Amino acid sequence: MYKAKVIVTLRPSVFDPQGKAVENSLKSIGLSSVLDIRIGKYIEMEIETESYQEAEQVVIEACKKLLSNPVMDDYNFTVQEIQSERSIK
Amino acid sequence: MYKAKVIVTLRPSVFDPQGKAVENSLKSIGLSSVLDIRIGKYIEMEIETESYQEAEQVVIEACKKLLSNPVMDDYNFTVQEIQSERSIK
């Protein structure tokens, strides 16, 4: 059993209106030292595969097909093995 | 100048319908080895403060007041110093 942590961010060249809105909100509540904000997605998934390589492939396929927009987004991830009930036995 | 990376996640006890929907979508496109997905937010911000401690305080205040829901969310973050045009001079 593997656990993947994926971060999907807008490419630096893409304008981030959500980030801009949050930045303005923070300034309006007095946090004027925040200069720039960009907002992305964080995804945690558990994957049941035989090997680390297979788990990585599943994450890449999930990112390419569903989690990220290939035109606007970048993604990066880490995969680590975790103890599952099955592997403890 | 400091850069903070913040991850806001739903508490483990809170049901995540968005994650469940993505999990079902991944299964429907053949990625059946994905067992569990939870989705959170990833926020990058640049902060202009005198010290690391002040930058941390700004991030904590932003998380408490705006970025996370104290009832349903957990947050964690890292802060690191970065080179800005001002600090290079």
Side-chain angles (χ1 to χ4, degrees), chain A residues 6-18 38-43 60 62-76, chain B residues 42:
Chain A
V6 183
I7 287 175
V8 179
T9 48
L10 279 175
R11 296 205 165 150
S13 57
V14 178
F15 178 66
D16 179 5
Q18 193 188 1
R38 291 183 73 83
I39 294 181
K41 280 176 288 185
Y42 172 75
I43 301 130
I60 291 170
C63 285
K64 285 194 175 159
K65 289 191 177 166
L66 196 73
L67 301 174
S68 78
N69 174 343
V71 178
M72 296 168 71
D73 295 335
D74 287 326
Y75 63 86
N76 62 69
Chain B
Y42 172 75

Side-chain angles (χ1 to χ4, degrees), chain B residues 14-73:
Chain B
V14 178
F15 179 66
D16 179 5
Q18 194 188 0
K20 199 71 202 163
V22 170
E23 190 183 321
N24 291 340
S25 300
L26 286 174
K27 284 185 173 149
S28 76
I29 60 169
L31 293 172
S32 54
S33 51
V34 176
L35 298 188
D36 189 40
I37 290 205
R38 292 183 73 83
I39 294 181
K41 280 176 288 186
Y42 172 75
I43 302 129
E44 272 184 7
M45 51 174 113
E46 285 178 19
I47 304 162
E48 183 76 68
T49 53
E50 296 298 315
S51 71
Y52 183 88
Q53 283 71 24
E54 281 177 79
E56 270 192 336
Q57 282 309 312
V58 168
V59 178
I60 291 170
E61 209 175 325
C63 285
K64 286 194 176 159
K65 289 192 178 166
L66 196 74
L67 300 174
S68 78
N69 174 341
V71 178
M72 296 167 70
D73 295 334

Side-chain angles (χ1 to χ4, degrees), chain A residues 72-84:
Chain A
M72 296 168 71
D73 295 335
D74 287 326
Y75 63 86
N76 62 69
F77 62 88
T78 59
V79 176
Q80 68 182 126
E81 193 162 7
I82 54 169
Q83 293 286 315
S84 69

